[in-house]
Amino acid sequence: MAIATIDPTTGKTLRTFNALTPAELELKLQLSADTFRDYRQTSFAERARWMRRAAELLDAEAERFGRIMTEEMGKPLEAAKAEARKCATACRYYVAKAEGLLKDRPIEVGGDTAFVRYQPLGPVLAIMPWNFPFWQVVRFAAPALMAGNVGLLKHAHNVPQCALALEEVFLQAGFPAGSFQTLLIETADVNRVIEDPRVRAVTLTGSEAAGRSVGASAGRSLKKVVLELGGSDPFVVMPSADLDKAVETAVSARLINNGQSCIAAKRFIVAEPIAAEFERRFVERMKRVTVGDPTDPKTDVGPLATEGILKGLHAQVEQSVKAGARLLLGGKPLERPGNFYPPTVLADPPPNAPAFHDELFGPVATLLRARDVKHAIELANATPFGLGASVWTKDAAEQRQFIDGVEAGMVFVNEMVVSDARLPFGGVKNSGHGRELADLGIHEFLNAKTVRVA
Ligand code: NDP
């Protein structure tokens, strides 16, 4: 796939980029390895000074960075600017916390001195997606750099300007050249980088298919890998929930980022006594959403990022309707240039329908009805994925049942699932393994060295 900026609002190709030649890639890999030798010796105070400056740049240039994101992948401009500012908060979180999180951990062994010392691994390859083109990268880079690792970014082919802007942020902030580099390379060349002995670990955020390929390649090379893959997150509403708040949040949780978020709520599982009322209000609210030009402040939902995503999503909707799902709203691409798909609601799909078990990456919601808590948990778990879950109930016993019973890496009660620098982020089952952010995230790419001194 060509490395290019194709405006999803118009379908026009705005810029194309050449992939690195083998010789250029070799120079960058060597620079990464050479930089690591010195960079790992830098103090927390030095790294914190650079990271603080990176946060300042992300804040100060949120408008410019936001416009690049919107131009390349179509998210509403205000959300894109907010994304740049959110990246600044992640940088500041690790400025404040990294040293404390990575200090030696003493262990009582009786007599001898024993402790765990955390040391960086080296160059880490980050393979990142286009959906949160700044946030996904910074949530890897901020902890990795603060821990003394160096980063190599292989970004999605449709966000090359975001990739280059991020490299510029870290360079301008003062990080040594080579500590964070963008590699403009084709997908076909990724395995070669994973296998390169100078690269010590790999992290991927993306689809299940990419996860299988990258995970297999990292396994063959015996390299640590973190996989943040897709999700088909349940949003469960029980009779005791605040229905107004649940409906309002359900719409936001489904439509965030034009519906293209791994932790967007995708399957709305509603208790039977309130299901008809929830359905009526939810469809009504989805109808009032404004779809349009993502640079217009009145727009709630912009275009999907690529034509491929649009076609794939529509095929999933058509298959679901054919399998027996009721189509309550939307259901076909808008007749205008660009990759526009309207807010769409499907109800009661059978288990063989994509809307029942697959990830639908766009503004399409699936409604399901649950007889009781046990059935709601069964439906929540009836997917190969296990990323996040949002459950709405004021009943403490029900809350406990959901927290224990839902197969997911994250459960949020009476609020939507969000990615927050202070909270570990990641999934189970086909949503991948490993964690990003918070304390668990910074520990993923470290040698936890056991030391015992007699
Ligand atoms: P991909 O998984 O294809 O892309 C994510 C990143 O992985 C990109 O940098 C991509 O590079 C790279 N990649 C893809 N295949 C391989 C491979 N075999 N080996 C190494 N790197 C690879 O996502 P898509 O953009 O195709 O989106 C498809 C689906 O993925 C969505 O519908 C959604 O279900 C899921 N997805 C989930 C995301 C999440 O946040 N968990 C984010 C994005 C997508 P390149 O672009 O060059 O192919």
Side-chain angles (χ1 to χ4, degrees):
M1 262 173 300
I3 302 171
T5 301
I6 301 174
D7 185 347
T9 305
T10 60
K12 291 204 173 99
T13 301
L14 303 180
R15 280 182 74 178
T16 54
F17 294 78
N18 291 329
L20 295 177
T21 63
E24 287 167 338
L25 178 58
E26 167 56 31
L27 282 177
K28 285 183 185 281
L29 291 174
Q30 192 53 43
L31 178 62
S32 186
D34 292 344
T35 305
F36 175 63
R37 270 194 301 279
D38 295 333
Y39 183 71
R40 64 176 303 172
Q41 309 295 345
T42 57
S43 66
F44 280 110
E46 267 175 300
R47 295 175 206 158
R49 187 156 44 81
W50 299 325
M51 194 59 76
R52 212 174 284 119
R53 181 80 191 113
E56 286 163 10
L57 288 167
L58 285 158
D59 270 337
E61 302 226 43
E63 169 82 31
R64 178 166 74 92
F65 296 144
R67 286 195 181 274
I68 298 174
M69 290 184 233
T70 298
E71 181 177 271
E72 294 203 303
M73 55 65 67
K75 74 174 63 198
L77 182 56
E78 285 311 308
K81 289 191 253 175
E83 180 170 333
R85 291 191 290 266
K86 182 173 175 173
C87 291
T89 65
C91 294
R92 292 196 180 100
Y93 171 84
Y94 282 108
V95 164
K97 299 282 183 190
E99 186 168 9
L101 292 172
L102 301 185
K103 66 179 189 296
D104 289 348
R105 186 164 65 81
I107 302 173
E108 187 51 61
V109 287
D112 293 359
T113 300
F115 57 91
V116 172
R117 172 156 300 172
Y118 297 104
Q119 294 185 314
L121 292 182
V124 183
L125 173 66
I127 304 163
M128 290 289 146
W130 43 265
N131 61 341
F132 292 93
F134 269 56
W135 173 247
Q136 308 274 25
V137 174
V138 170
R139 80 178 179 183
F140 149 74
L145 289 169
M146 284 306 298
N149 289 308
V150 297
L152 291 162
L153 169 64
K154 183 270 176 266
H155 218 324
H157 66 280
N158 54 328
V159 289
Q161 295 189 65
C162 291
L164 294 168
L166 284 157
E167 183 180 60
E168 175 198 313
V169 165
F170 290 112
L171 258 182
Q172 279 189 5
F175 284 98
S179 52
F180 184 89
Q181 298 180 83
T182 282
L183 308 178
L184 292 182
I185 55 172
E186 307 284 352
T187 314
D189 291 327
V190 174
N191 278 348
R192 197 178 313 153
V193 179
I194 296 174
E195 286 159 12
D196 190 289
R198 291 164 290 194
V199 172
R200 298 310 319 149
V202 187
T203 183
L204 163 82
T205 300
S207 61
E208 198 183 333
R212 289 182 194 282
S213 171
V214 168
S217 181
R220 274 195 303 276
S221 307
L222 297 177
K223 288 183 187 169
K224 174 76 188 270
V225 62
V226 167
L227 299 174
E228 297 290 1
L229 310 178
S232 185
D233 284 10
F235 185 106
V236 182
V237 189
M238 298 304 288
S240 65
D242 175 338
L243 201 58
D244 288 339
K245 203 170 159 210
V247 170
E248 202 54 37
T249 310
V251 172
S252 310
R254 177 55 284 203
L255 298 181
I256 184 168
N257 209 37
N258 306 340
Q260 303 159 118
S261 167
C262 48
I263 49 165
K266 288 164 190 145
R267 295 174 302 126
F268 298 83
I269 299 164
V270 185
E272 261 165 11
I274 56 164
E277 180 63 9
F278 182 92
E279 179 179 303
R280 189 185 64 74
R281 291 204 211 176
F282 182 74
V283 172
E284 200 44 50
R285 184 63 191 77
M286 289 281 274
K287 251 186 217 161
R288 285 194 277 121
V289 165
T290 308
V291 181
D293 180 342
T295 59
D296 182 339
K298 289 195 283 297
T299 292
D300 301 308
V301 173
L304 297 174
T306 64
E307 200 185 354
I309 298 279
L310 176 79
K311 285 188 175 152
L313 180 70
H314 187 49
Q316 288 173 310
V317 170
E318 284 191 313
Q319 281 165 30
S320 299
V321 173
K322 205 164 159 208
R326 289 187 291 132
L327 177 65
L328 303 180
L329 184 70
K332 56 174 194 291
L334 298 184
E335 285 176 16
R336 57 175 284 179
N339 312 320
F340 288 92
Y341 206 82
T344 294
V345 183
L346 298 169
D348 311 322
N352 64 335
F356 186 92
H357 55 82
D358 261 1
E359 177 174 42
L360 269 58
F361 223 54
V364 181
T366 300
L367 303 184
L368 297 160
R369 294 183 182 210
R371 291 184 298 277
D372 51 25
V373 176
K374 189 167 164 277
H375 188 215
I377 293 173
E378 268 169 35
L379 287 171
N381 292 342
T383 157
F385 296 104
L387 192 55
S390 174
V391 295
W392 291 72
T393 169
K394 289 187 185 141
D395 181 315
E398 283 184 359
Q399 290 180 1
R400 280 195 298 277
Q401 283 172 282
F402 283 114
I403 290 167
D404 288 342
V406 174
E407 295 164 356
M410 302 168 281
V411 176
F412 284 55
V413 180
N414 296 327
E415 55 184 317
M416 64 188 265
V417 181
V418 293
S419 178
D420 176 324
R422 298 165 299 183
L423 299 173
F425 185 102
V428 294
K429 296 162 69 178
N430 291 7
S431 294
H433 50 242
R435 291 293 178 268
E436 293 195 277
L437 296 174
D439 53 341
L440 299 184
I442 199 169
H443 283 101
E444 287 286 2
F445 298 117
L446 293 170
N447 174 12
K449 185 182 276 179
T450 299
V451 180
R452 182 168 175 156
V453 184

